[in-house]
């Protein structure tokens, strides 16, 4: 299991937090998704054999946010 | 039909806009709901014989926003 902390811009409320958690959490291989709204961070624990960090980033971008 | 402009605090993104539009728009008697996110305004066109402005305000507050 790998843990990565992503800096994500654009999340402004609990709806955004839920949208990101839902999108990332639905990827096969993602074990846990934590969003720090104030800190603008998304912490993802995933199995790199099942999902790439690029797929995780894409899922966040698809929701309308920027991974910086 | 009556048109009222409400000043609403706390809406920060399109998810918020949609939550407010959905909540207010589902009230019987509401004909149109427009949200001005940047201007912090919710414009509601409704039939006062079917729904009160207080019910409209309650629907917004129930979503977690403040009518000021």
């Amino acid at each position: 299991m790998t843990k990565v902390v992503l800096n994500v811009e654009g999340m402004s409320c609990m709806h955004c937090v839920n949208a990101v958690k839902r999108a990332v959490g639905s990827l096969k291989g993602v074990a846990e998704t934590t969003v720090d709204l104030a800190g603008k961070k998304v912490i993802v624990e995933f199995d790199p054999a099942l999902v790439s960090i690029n797929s995780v980033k894409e899922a966040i971008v698809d929701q309308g946010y920027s991974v910086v």
Side-chain angles (χ1 to χ4, degrees), chain A residues 20-58:
Chain A
V20 167
K21 288 186 81 159
R22 203 180 312 118
V24 175
S26 72
L27 296 173
K28 191 179 160 76
V30 170
E32 205 178 338
T33 314
T34 309
V35 178
D36 174 358
L37 180 59
K40 300 180 181 180
K41 290 187 193 317
V42 176
I43 302 110
V44 187
E45 210 174 322
F46 63 101
D47 182 344
L50 292 174
V51 65
S52 70
I53 187 63
N54 276 342
S55 297
V56 170
K57 289 179 181 177
E58 266 172 32

Side-chain angles (χ1 to χ4, degrees), chain A residues 6-27:
Chain A
L6 300 169
N7 294 299
V8 177
E9 297 281 354
M11 301 181 298
S12 57
C13 69
M14 287 312 292
H15 295 117
C16 297
V17 169
N18 291 333
V20 167
K21 288 186 81 159
R22 203 180 312 118
V24 175
S26 72
L27 296 173

